[in-house]
Amino acid sequence: MTQTAETTSQASGDVQRFDAVIVGAGLAGLYMLHRLRGLGFSARVIEAGDGVGGTWYWNRYPGARCDIESLEYSYSFSEELQQEWHWSERFASQPEILRYIEHVADRFDLRRDVQFKTRVTSARWNDEARQWRIETDRGDVLDARFCIMATGMLSAPQDPDFAGLDTFAGDWYHTGRWPHEGVDFTGQRVAVIGTGSSAIQSIPIIAQQSAHLTVFQRTPNFVIPARNHPMDPEYERSIKDRYAEVREIERYSRAGTTAPRPERGVLESSPEEREREFRARWERGGLGFTGAFNDLLMSREANEFAAEFVRERIREVVHDPATAELLSPRSYPIGTKRVCIDTGYFETFNRENVSLVDIRSAPILEITPKGIRTTEGEYEVDAIVFAIGFDAMTGTLLRVDIRGEGGQSLADAWADGPVSYLGLCVSGFPNLFTITGPGSPSVLSNMIVSIEQHVDWIADCLEYLRAQGVEVIDADEEAQAEWVEHVAEVGNMTLYPSGYSWYVGANIEGKPRVFMPYIGGVGAYRKRCEQIAANGYTGFALTASTAVAEA
C-alpha cells in the first residue's frame, strides 16, 4: 500500500490512486479520514454537497434538532476537542451541530482531502488488480485498495411520487433537501405531508409563520416532550470533568448513551410504580421514555401500558377529542418506530390556523395546480412540504453502482434484503467497508458512538493488514449467513419487526421487509467485534499480497 496519492495518465484520462477512497464527508467520513491520515494511509473523501456535515448539512428544515443530548452526541477521539467545544443547549439544533462539524474539519485540517460537489456513481472491484475503481459524476476516476462507504443511514430522501406534482403552481420542498437560504411561509397556506420526525419538529414553527397549515397524516407518531433548555454550566462541567468515564459507559451500554438500564418490568410493577416512572420520564423528556422498564419492547401487554400513558397525555393537551384520537397511535407498539421528541407539537393542533387530515381514511389522489386532492375533496395551498422520510440504511449504498467479484452488483446481492457480516463488510465485495451498515446497531444507537467504533475497527483492520502483508480481506459467506441469522433471531425476540417502520423498509414501496439494524446492544456488539479482531479477523478470508505469497 502506498503512503502517498498518485495520479497516472492513461488514454481514458487521469486516474488518481489512493490507499482508500471514502464516500461521504459527514461525521463518519471525516473521522475515517482523520484516522487513516494518522496511520500514514493516503485517502480522498468524495462528497456530494459543497460542505462537510452529512445529514446535518442537508437537513436544514425549520426546527431540525438532534434527539441525543449534545454532550453525548459528539466526538470522543480528542480530549482537547471535548473540552474546548461548548454546546449551548441540551439538545443541539442543526445549525449548531453543523458549526461543530465544520469546526472539527478546520481544527484537524480535513477539508484539503475532501472533494466537494461530487457524487460517486460507481465503484467496481478489479479482480486482477485487487483494487476498486471509483467513478464520479464529474468524470473523476480513482483507484484505491479500499473503498469505505460513509454515506449515512438517512441520506437518501424518498422522492415524492404523487400524480400531478409537476402541475402544482406553488413551491414545494422536501425536508431532507431544504433550501440553504431558508423558506419564509409568512401569509401562505401550507401543506405538510407526513408526521415523522422532521414534520414533528417543523410543524410548530411553520404553523407560527403560515396563514394556515394543513397537516396530512397517514400514521400518527408517539411523541415525547424534549424538555430542551439552555446548557447548564454546572452540568456541563460535571460531564467534562469525567468524560473518560462517560464515554466508557456509552461504548458498552445498550444504546450508546449513559441512560441506566431498567431492572424491573412493567408487568411486575404496581399501577402506582408504573405511573410514577412513566411520569418521571415524561417530565424529564427525551428518548429515555421507552427505557422506563425492561419489558416494554419485549411484551405487547407491557408495551400497551406505556402507549396508553402517552395517549392520555395527548388527550390532555389536544382540546378537540376527534383530533386527539387521530393523533393517538394504535397500530404499532411504542418504540418500534423511533420515538420522536418535540417542542409544542401536540399543542400546535389547538391553533385556529392548523387542521389535520387523515389520509389513511381519505387518501391523497393527486396534486393539482391549486393544491392537494384527496378522496374527500381538494385543499388549496400555496406551498407543500414533503416530510416523507428516507430510503433508510440501504438507500445511499444502492444508489451507487457497486460491483464486487465477477461483476456482481450489490443490488442483486441485496435483492431479498441486505446481508452483511457485522454491518461492516459484504461477502463477495472485497476491501469494501460500510460504516454503520445494516446488521450493526446503527440507527438503534447514539449514532456517533457507533460511528467511532466502526471507524476505529476499520482503521485498526487496515493497519493489521498492512503489517501482515495482506492485500485483500473479504467476509466469509458462511460467517455472514450466521451473522444475518443472529441479527434476525435477536430482532424477532423483540416487538421491533411488528412496527411498520423504515427499520424494516416499510416506507418504501417494493423494498424487502427485513429488520435491518442489530438490536443486541452497542456494548455486546462492540465486544463481538473486538473478539473477532483479536482472533485475527475470524469470519474473514485474508489474501496475502503477491510479493508476500512468493517470498
Side-chain angles (χ1 to χ4, degrees):
M1 294 174 230
T2 59
Q3 299 286 318
T4 57
E6 299 176 357
T7 301
T8 303
S9 180
Q10 296 185 348
S12 59
D14 289 340
V15 178
Q16 303 173 68
R17 301 185 184 278
F18 301 90
D19 291 326
V21 166
I22 303 163
V23 185
L27 289 161
L30 292 178
Y31 182 43
M32 189 78 253
L33 173 62
H34 177 68
R35 279 301 318 272
L36 293 184
R37 265 197 199 165
L39 294 172
F41 291 104
S42 62
R44 171 63 54 85
V45 178
I46 305 297
E47 167 56 45
D50 63 5
V52 299
T55 189
W56 300 108
Y57 168 90
W58 296 106
N59 287 271
R60 300 172 185 238
Y61 59 83
R65 188 177 298 277
C66 189
D67 58 6
I68 301 291
E69 295 196 27
S70 307
L71 288 165
E72 297 193 39
Y73 190 83
S74 53
Y75 286 122
S76 69
F77 69 85
S78 166
E79 179 61 18
E80 292 78 11
L81 176 63
Q82 290 191 131
Q83 295 298 327
E84 72 191 16
W85 185 264
H86 167 69
W87 294 102
S88 68
E89 295 179 278
R90 178 188 179 193
F91 295 105
S93 65
Q94 177 272 332
E96 185 169 18
I97 297 172
L98 184 58
R99 287 196 300 272
Y100 170 74
I101 300 172
E102 290 172 339
H103 170 75
V104 171
D106 293 336
R107 193 189 195 286
F108 297 97
D109 189 25
L110 300 176
R111 295 179 197 265
R112 61 183 167 88
D113 286 322
V114 181
Q115 182 172 326
F116 295 105
K117 297 182 180 179
T118 308
R119 190 174 294 277
V120 170
T121 55
S122 68
R124 296 171 183 260
W125 173 252
N126 186 314
D127 292 315
E128 294 183 6
R130 294 181 173 181
Q131 64 184 11
W132 285 93
R133 169 150 292 187
I134 293 99
E135 298 184 359
T136 77
D137 61 354
R138 294 177 56 174
D140 305 291
V141 180
L142 306 91
D143 283 351
R145 183 67 62 200
F146 302 98
C147 181
I148 303 172
M149 303 301 290
T151 48
M153 297 298 97
L154 295 169
S155 304
Q158 181 179 187
D159 295 326
D161 184 22
F162 292 91
L165 179 58
D166 58 340
T167 71
F168 181 57
D171 296 319
W172 65 267
Y173 311 92
H174 192 297
T175 51
R177 291 290 181 268
W178 202 258
H180 288 194
E181 66 274 14
V183 181
D184 184 4
F185 291 113
T186 301
Q188 295 188 36
R189 299 165 300 173
V190 182
V192 173
I193 299 177
T195 50
S197 180
S198 60
I200 286 165
Q201 291 182 331
S202 61
I203 281 171
I205 297 173
I206 295 174
Q208 293 171 13
Q209 286 187 353
S210 59
H212 190 88
L213 171 64
T214 305
V215 177
F216 292 80
Q217 172 188 270
R218 183 181 63 182
T219 306
N221 249 306
F222 287 102
V223 183
I224 309 298
R227 311 294 187 199
N228 192 32
H229 52 71
M231 182 61 68
D232 175 23
E234 292 186 10
Y235 175 72
E236 181 181 25
R237 186 71 267 152
S238 72
I239 297 297
K240 289 186 173 183
D241 285 345
R242 56 184 185 92
Y243 243 143
E245 175 190 350
V246 168
R247 298 306 194 186
E248 192 69 5
I249 293 171
E250 291 173 350
R251 291 168 188 148
Y252 291 96
S253 68
R254 179 79 174 177
T257 70
T258 56
R261 293 190 65 175
E263 297 181 358
R264 290 178 60 81
V266 168
L267 300 182
E268 56 187 9
S269 302
S270 69
E272 294 76 20
E273 289 173 325
R274 290 196 293 265
E275 177 70 18
R276 185 167 56 249
E277 185 63 25
F278 285 142
R279 182 72 64 174
R281 299 276 178 149
W282 183 266
E283 293 303 324
R284 186 179 189 280
L287 293 179
F289 182 82
T290 52
F293 295 95
N294 60 21
D295 56 355
L296 290 185
L297 292 169
M298 307 297 288
S299 161
R300 190 69 185 248
E301 181 184 359
N303 189 279
E304 181 59 21
F305 284 105
E308 182 55 26
F309 177 89
V310 175
R311 290 192 287 261
E312 288 176 358
R313 304 289 80 72
I314 296 172
R315 290 191 288 269
E316 287 177 355
V317 171
V318 180
H319 298 160
D320 177 56
T323 301
E325 181 58 29
L326 283 177
L327 290 168
S328 298
R330 296 186 183 278
S331 61
Y332 61 94
I334 184 171
T336 57
K337 292 185 176 186
R338 191 175 180 95
V339 170
C340 299
I341 64 172
D342 81 303
T343 300
Y345 174 68
F346 292 122
E347 289 85 347
T348 297
F349 291 92
N350 294 328
R351 296 176 62 100
E352 292 184 359
N353 72 324
V354 175
S355 55
L356 180 65
V357 176
D358 177 22
I359 58 175
R360 187 169 295 280
S361 61
I364 293 174
L365 296 176
E366 63 177 344
I367 308 297
T368 69
K370 294 182 178 181
I372 299 169
R373 188 165 70 89
T374 75
T375 56
E376 292 185 347
E378 184 175 13
Y379 298 82
E380 294 189 3
V381 297
D382 303 306
I384 302 173
V385 174
F386 292 100
I388 54 178
F390 300 86
D391 184 353
M393 302 199 70
T394 59
T396 49
L397 295 170
L398 295 179
R399 291 185 185 188
V400 178
D401 183 15
I402 300 176
R403 295 184 180 269
E405 289 180 329
Q408 180 190 25
S409 73
L410 185 65
D412 287 342
W414 285 5
D416 297 324
V419 292
S420 170
Y421 186 38
L422 303 173
L424 277 162
C425 299
V426 182
S427 180
F429 295 80
N431 292 6
L432 175 75
F433 296 93
T434 56
I435 299 177
T436 63
S440 72
S442 184
V443 294
L444 295 180
S445 70
N446 175 354
M447 279 297 296
I448 199 163
V449 172
S450 290
I451 283 170
E452 285 192 320
Q453 186 251 326
H454 266 198
V455 168
D456 288 337
W457 192 95
I458 294 168
D460 293 345
C461 177
L462 266 58
E463 185 179 26
Y464 174 88
L465 300 181
R466 180 173 62 187
Q468 299 297 318
V470 173
E471 198 168 31
V472 178
I473 182 171
D474 191 12
D476 177 76
E477 192 170 357
E478 184 177 344
Q480 175 174 278
E482 290 176 355
W483 179 252
V484 170
E485 183 179 356
H486 173 64
V487 171
E489 180 182 14
V490 175
N492 288 331
M493 293 169 61
T494 74
L495 298 174
Y496 274 102
S498 65
Y500 193 74
S501 73
W502 53 261
Y503 291 150
V504 296
N507 63 318
I508 303 296
E509 186 175 355
K511 188 169 182 175
R513 299 294 185 259
V514 176
F515 184 61
M516 293 180 282
Y518 178 59
I519 190 58
V522 166
Y525 174 83
R526 178 184 289 269
K527 290 177 181 177
R528 181 74 169 262
C529 291
E530 289 173 340
Q531 183 182 37
I532 286 170
N535 291 338
Y537 296 91
T538 50
F540 290 94
L542 308 183
T543 305
S545 66
T546 305
V548 171
E550 293 176 349

